[in-house]
Amino acid sequence: MKSKFRTALLSAAFGAAALLGAVLPAHADGEKYVLIHHSPDSETFWNTVKNGASLASKEVGAEITFRNPPTGDLADMVRIIQQTAAEGPSGIIVTIPDADLVGGPIADAIAKGIPVVTMNTGTFEQSKELGALLHVGQPEYDAGKGAGEKAKAAGIKSFLCVNSLFPNVAGEQRCKGFADGLGVELGTQMIDSGTDATEIANRVKAYLSANPNTEAVLTLGPMTAIPTIQALKDNGLAGDIYFVTFDLTPDVSKAIKDGIIKFAVDQQPFLQGYLPVITLTNYIRYGVLPANSVLSGPGFVTKDNIGLVESLAGQYR
């Protein structure tokens, strides 16, 4: 009796397994993913994103390739997306710096049956409209507004926004959020700094010289933060003017410890690289997908909590 019961139980189990196998998507280890972002080669922020994606790829046994326009030219990014889609990778991870420019090529890749996860730049709504699986990133306006509210609480009423991200709309969203957090209008205090370190420092010094009553400086990443640190040292304002930046590097961490930068807005770039690889792999292999996009930030790193993250800045934070 027991033997018949065991046989029936095993038969049912194998039948269920066969049925389950029939409905799951076919897969094989060794998926090939391409991560495409919009920034120039000089932007060190992406090293942490790459670390996250590389670790995830190693853990799941996939391959990851990184591509970007060397000078940050979005027309070049469009071509990169198109070329990547033509190659037919297992999945694409991509930013949305300007939905009007890159949205079409991203949607075309999805229409070809390539799974896409968007990350970093862009909104959850844009990602959904394009047909991506989900978005991993920081709501840029909300992050800027949160930073502005902290500055307002410290008594700040005016600021300079050093924006190197043109034409990426994320830059304006951060600056506008900061202005709204302060309760002021965004106007000429947002400058196009360019991406050359010397030029950034010169433009910061020129603005502060022409507007000596400026109470705060907001930089949108290490590319502008590091030259701004030098500019403030040159004109004797380092440690006196209220200085806020986005993102972490060892240099930014040191400036926080030294009292030059009040706080950094942390969007956890490691997660922006790591989670899309895991998401794509689970979707391709098992047909499972999180129900929602992922908020990777903002968090705020200050002198009080820098000790928890400084050893990881530029690598995992």
Side-chain angles (χ1 to χ4, degrees):
M1 184 71 178
K2 290 182 179 179
S3 178
K4 290 182 179 179
F5 177 76
R6 187 180 298 112
T7 299
L9 185 61
L10 288 172
S11 297
F14 282 122
L19 179 61
L20 185 60
V23 298
L24 286 177
H27 74 274
D29 292 349
E31 289 87 355
K32 295 182 179 181
Y33 304 134
V34 180
L35 189 156
I36 305 168
H37 70 80
H38 56 274
S39 292
D41 291 341
S42 57
E43 179 56 86
T44 58
F45 167 87
W46 292 94
N47 293 338
T48 307
V49 176
K50 292 177 181 179
N51 286 341
S54 296
L55 178 60
S57 297
K58 182 178 179 180
E59 289 178 348
V60 301
E63 297 180 23
I64 186 78
T65 301
F66 303 100
R67 298 174 181 172
N68 67 287
T71 64
D73 180 4
L74 294 189
D76 192 15
M77 182 181 179
V78 168
R79 289 190 290 271
I80 291 171
I81 297 171
Q82 292 170 334
Q83 291 167 0
T84 300
E87 295 169 6
S90 305
I92 294 175
I93 303 163
V94 65
T95 62
I96 315 174
D98 185 329
D100 291 337
L101 283 176
V102 304
I106 293 173
D108 289 343
I110 294 169
K112 292 180 179 179
I114 301 172
V116 171
V117 172
T118 61
M119 49 80 73
N120 180 260
T121 303
T123 67
F124 297 164
E125 293 77 16
Q126 288 171 335
S127 179
K128 185 176 181 179
E129 288 174 3
L130 293 175
L133 298 179
L134 54 75
H135 183 81
V136 181
Q138 169 181 264
E140 303 294 5
Y141 172 83
D142 293 340
K145 187 175 182 181
E149 289 171 345
K150 289 175 69 68
K152 182 179 181 179
I156 300 301
K157 298 178 181 178
S158 62
F159 76 109
L160 160 66
C161 182
V162 188
N163 187 352
S164 64
L165 301 180
F166 287 105
N168 186 340
V169 295
E172 183 174 356
Q173 290 170 345
R174 292 177 179 182
C175 296
K176 179 67 165 61
F178 194 87
D180 288 351
L182 287 182
V184 302
E185 292 294 323
L186 178 65
T188 58
Q189 72 271 52
M190 180 176 71
I191 63 171
D192 181 355
S193 68
T195 58
D196 177 77
T198 300
E199 189 63 27
I200 291 168
N202 288 339
R203 292 185 185 184
V204 169
K205 286 188 282 189
Y207 182 92
L208 294 178
S209 177
N211 300 273
N213 294 325
T214 302
E215 297 177 339
V217 175
L218 172 68
T219 59
L220 304 188
M223 179 183 289
T224 47
I226 294 170
T228 297
I229 291 171
Q230 187 59 52
L232 296 181
K233 288 180 177 179
D234 290 346
N235 62 15
L237 291 176
D240 292 331
I241 197 166
Y242 196 94
F243 184 5
V244 178
T245 191
F246 279 75
D247 306 326
L248 290 168
T249 66
D251 287 331
V252 169
S253 297
K254 183 178 185 303
I256 293 173
K257 290 179 67 177
D258 292 344
I260 297 174
I261 294 178
K262 294 297 183 182
F263 63 89
V265 182
D266 181 22
Q267 61 180 302
Q268 301 190 99
F270 179 85
L271 290 182
Q272 294 178 4
Y274 184 90
L275 292 179
V277 172
I278 299 299
T279 297
L280 284 170
T281 302
N282 284 332
Y283 178 74
I284 291 168
R285 295 183 184 179
Y286 314 118
V288 296
L289 190 67
N292 299 299
S293 290
V294 180
L295 285 169
S296 66
F300 299 99
V301 179
T302 68
K303 198 170 185 178
D304 293 333
N305 62 12
I306 186 63
L308 297 174
V309 301
E310 66 174 325
S311 64
L312 304 176
Q315 184 175 10
Y316 298 108
R317 293 296 300 268

